[in-house]
Amino acid sequence: RHFDLVILDIVLPDGSGLDLLADLPLETGVIVFSAAEPDQKLGDRVQAMMTKTRASEIDVAKLVRTMLASSRDGTRPAARAKE
């Protein structure tokens, strides 16, 4: 399957969501949206990191729209969202 964008939670009942990063194609955009504080060392593999307690659903929706529009244009968003 091809996904344009994945919203990934770090804390899953059966392990770390970060373990799934290796299985995603490099062209798939990744937003880490989690209650746990994301590791700032995730590098270029994660385009955005948002903490559930600091970001609203509207913030997430805006970021998703921006990232999807950028992927359609063939560009990546220049700024990384960190909340």
Side-chain angles (χ1 to χ4, degrees):
R1 296 182 185 168
H2 170 77
F3 299 97
D4 294 325
L5 180 67
V6 172
I7 300 173
L8 187 63
D9 195 339
I10 294 174
V11 181
L12 298 173
D14 55 348
S16 172
L18 297 178
D19 293 339
L20 302 173
L21 283 176
D23 296 329
L24 296 174
L26 292 176
E27 63 271 6
T28 302
V30 178
I31 298 172
V32 171
F33 183 58
S34 184
E37 289 293 326
D39 184 352
Q40 300 299 319
K41 299 177 186 174
L42 293 175
D44 293 334
R45 189 59 194 102
V46 173
Q47 287 71 44
M49 296 178 266
M50 301 180 94
T51 305
K52 289 180 179 178
T53 58
R54 297 183 194 148
S56 71
E57 290 86 5
I58 293 171
D59 295 332
V60 176
K62 287 178 183 177
L63 180 60
V64 167
R65 277 189 238 149
T66 300
M67 288 182 67
L68 288 176
S70 295
S71 71
R72 287 186 200 112
D73 295 341
T75 61
R76 292 269 183 175
R80 295 167 63 108
K82 295 178 185 177
E83 307 239 357

